[in-house]
Amino acid sequence: MMNNKLSHKCVLILIEDSEDEVELLKLLIKNEKINVEILEFFDGEKAYEHLSKLQPSRNDNVNYFVVLDLNLPGMNGREILQQLRKHKNNSVLHIIIFSGSTNPLDKTQCLSVGAKSYYTKPWDFNGYKQFIKGPFLKELQQACPNI
């Protein structure tokens, strides 16, 4: 009998303009031995081009988990989220916002457009570590239940 965990793949898509933050997130994910394929985008337009070409389906063996910053060059995170949610097939993308913005309006707008959750970036290493061990892992398990 085939193990479902082997037949499913989880793709983590990090959309963040800070290369240092992406490297830190990847290091912490690796340290937690989280088995995901990681794609990274530092520009909003390039990220949207890639995401808009995906044809995700609930029946796929691939689950996508998107961690999206709001303040990006090219196309900002709000625009990416709004454009993706206009297309029904993208509703299966698990998208969370991970932003430095503490503006309650940003959170309200993103959640109303279709982000699953909104997290404010921590300001130190321990904060990032706790984010990966806590909220990130919880979201990942929701996005990719078979990993």
Side-chain angles (χ1 to χ4, degrees):
M1 191 158 146
M2 183 182 267
N3 182 344
N4 277 346
K5 289 188 178 195
L6 296 176
S7 63
H8 278 76
K9 175 178 167 182
C10 185
V11 178
L12 170 62
I13 302 173
L14 296 174
I15 306 171
E16 166 63 58
D17 60 331
S18 168
E19 291 184 35
D20 290 340
E21 283 188 48
V22 168
E23 289 306 313
L24 176 58
L25 289 170
K26 286 170 39 180
L27 174 70
L28 292 170
I29 290 165
K30 182 181 177 184
N31 287 347
E32 290 298 312
K33 297 177 177 37
I34 299 170
N35 185 24
V36 293
E37 177 183 333
I38 300 175
L39 302 178
E40 55 197 56
F41 294 92
F42 302 100
D43 174 276
E45 286 180 25
K46 289 180 179 148
Y48 178 72
E49 284 176 27
H50 178 79
L51 291 168
S52 65
K53 292 176 186 172
L54 295 177
Q55 297 294 318
S57 162
R58 295 192 195 286
N59 300 322
D60 280 349
N61 288 334
V62 178
N63 296 99
Y64 297 96
F65 177 35
V66 180
V67 177
L68 178 61
D69 187 18
L70 292 183
N71 300 313
L72 299 164
M75 185 178 198
N76 72 45
R78 280 176 227 75
E79 293 169 322
I80 293 171
L81 183 61
Q82 289 170 340
Q83 291 302 315
L84 288 173
R85 291 306 192 214
K86 284 183 180 179
H87 305 287
K88 187 176 181 178
N89 65 320
N90 288 325
S91 66
V92 299
L93 290 175
H94 191 98
I95 302 173
I96 67 167
I97 304 300
F98 190 56
S99 175
S101 173
T102 58
N103 184 339
L105 187 58
D106 284 336
K107 180 177 182 177
T108 302
Q109 288 176 338
C110 289
L111 293 174
S112 71
V113 175
K116 300 289 184 189
S117 300
Y118 187 103
Y119 299 98
T120 303
K121 291 178 184 175
W123 295 103
D124 62 12
F125 178 78
N126 284 332
Y128 276 89
K129 196 171 174 182
Q130 291 308 312
F131 170 73
I132 293 296
K133 288 183 175 208
F136 175 86
L137 197 51
K138 178 184 166 197
E139 297 285 348
L140 179 67
Q141 290 167 340
Q142 290 176 16
C144 303
N146 294 311
I147 64 163

